[in-house]
Amino acid sequence: MTTAVESELRRQELARFLRSRRERITPEQVGLPILGRRRTPGLRREEVAQLAGVGVTWYTWLEQGRDINASEQVLQAIARTLRLDPHEHTHLFRLAGAPEPEGEKDCQVITPAMELMLRKLEPYPVAVRNARCDLLAYNRGYTWLMGDVDAIPFADRNTLVQCLLNPEWRARMLDWETNIPRVIASFRAAMADHVAEPAWKQLVKRLKAESPLFAELWPHHDVNSEPIRTKRYQHPDVGLLRFNFTYLHYGRRSEITVSTYTPADEETAAKLPLVF
């Protein structure tokens, strides 16, 4: 049982952690103009609150270590605004006394053995996802195919988000217009087991607000559980690539899937990098 003293210490540690993460983010990194002289490094509290979509007073109290409760949606928004990496993301939830998000639990299944397997499959692209399309792990072949995935903020490493909102991904996926309705339909089918979960609802809310196509297709309630077996890509350096997909489930009842991209023809195989 957590004592009042332990709770107070945890809140103060949360306050210090938030301040340290806020001070390392510059206005330029989040697209804010620099107006006048800034007395403190990084972002101001009101800027974090604005970007995260929370009240300035509420966020100030959080940084002051006040005894307030933060929902998963709010913590996710703050984590995204402060560009927290996976370890910082988990640390934020623990300090806030919130249940660990499902995505963080999923990341824990990426063991050293699985990471070794992903490396051994190079140069074939390999990605590990959960049912919500969160990108849990990937190898260098995948970053060669899709671009600098490491540069994508952790909270945005979701293949549905990237397919709908990232122009670079859309340009590389030649059959995007044909396949994206099937991807959205597959996501809706998967959501049947998660309709009440905040992370899923928050993702739908975000995509409806930021993607006109998603906002158009989502009310149709189309569902499709059949995976796409072959995809074409346009790589900026080597041109047309064709891949067959193999989907492996991490466990009998697991929703985590390992997707392996194998060349669909000799031309594609010849274009894969020999070394990284």
Side-chain angles (χ1 to χ4, degrees):
M1 181 182 238
T2 303
T3 67
V5 173
E6 290 172 336
S7 296
E8 173 65 20
L9 290 173
R10 180 171 48 78
R11 289 196 301 271
Q12 292 303 320
E13 181 62 23
L14 172 61
R16 288 189 289 268
F17 177 68
L18 288 173
R19 286 195 295 271
S20 70
R21 301 304 92 172
R22 170 171 59 83
E23 290 173 354
R24 74 177 182 178
I25 304 294
T26 65
E28 296 93 333
Q29 287 178 294
V30 294
L32 293 177
I34 299 179
L35 302 174
R37 186 175 179 180
R38 303 177 74 90
R39 294 178 295 175
T40 58
L43 298 177
R44 300 185 176 105
R45 286 173 175 170
E46 57 267 26
E47 291 170 336
V48 173
Q50 176 187 352
L51 292 168
V54 301
V56 176
T57 300
W58 187 91
Y59 180 78
T60 300
W61 286 350
L62 197 63
E63 271 206 17
Q64 291 175 342
R66 301 277 190 99
D67 187 7
I68 58 176
N69 294 320
S71 67
E72 179 183 337
Q73 297 97 311
V74 167
L75 292 173
Q76 293 283 19
I78 292 173
R80 184 167 54 249
T81 299
L82 297 179
R83 303 192 171 192
L84 302 186
D85 66 24
H87 303 291
E88 294 168 333
H89 199 265
T90 299
H91 189 60
L92 170 66
F93 271 72
R94 287 175 178 170
L95 290 176
E100 193 171 359
E102 289 301 318
E104 299 302 309
K105 294 178 183 177
D106 290 344
C107 284
Q108 294 173 10
V109 308
I110 309 302
T111 63
M114 180 176 281
E115 292 176 349
L116 177 61
M117 183 186 74
L118 266 61
R119 292 197 299 270
K120 289 295 184 180
L121 287 171
E122 294 169 353
Y124 294 170
V126 184
V128 183
R129 306 177 183 87
N130 60 15
R132 199 173 54 243
C133 302
D134 295 325
L135 192 56
L136 307 179
Y138 47 88
N139 64 3
R140 290 177 295 181
Y142 188 79
T143 61
W144 174 81
L145 177 65
M146 301 308 301
D148 189 1
V149 183
D150 292 338
I152 299 173
F154 176 71
D156 291 339
R157 289 182 194 171
N158 177 288
T159 54
L160 187 56
V161 168
Q162 294 304 311
C163 287
L164 286 167
L165 304 180
N166 187 336
E168 181 181 348
W169 277 46
R170 184 181 303 187
R172 293 184 182 225
M173 305 173 72
L174 289 180
D175 301 310
W176 184 88
E177 292 185 356
T178 301
N179 288 337
I180 198 64
R182 292 179 61 187
V183 173
I184 294 173
S186 178
F187 174 76
R188 180 179 276 283
M191 192 173 176
D193 293 325
H194 305 274
V195 290
E197 295 179 22
W200 287 72
K201 294 190 291 185
Q202 187 67 21
L203 178 57
V204 170
K205 180 180 178 181
R206 177 187 179 185
L207 292 174
K208 288 170 69 175
E210 298 182 26
S211 169
L213 180 60
F214 185 89
E216 175 188 345
L217 295 178
W218 189 249
H220 294 177
H221 290 267
D222 293 335
V223 292
N224 188 337
S225 300
E226 180 64 26
I228 301 171
R229 298 295 180 181
T230 303
K231 293 183 183 180
R232 299 187 305 153
Y233 294 85
Q234 183 67 29
H235 194 278
D237 296 328
V238 301
L240 177 64
L241 298 167
R242 296 182 180 88
F243 289 101
N244 292 325
F245 277 62
T246 301
Y247 300 94
L248 303 174
H249 288 277
Y250 189 72
R252 186 174 181 180
R253 294 181 175 84
S254 175
E255 293 185 321
I256 295 174
T257 305
V258 181
S259 303
T260 304
Y261 303 49
T262 53
D265 51 46
E266 293 183 359
E267 290 80 5
T268 297
K271 293 176 182 178
L272 295 181
L274 297 177
V275 295
F276 290 96

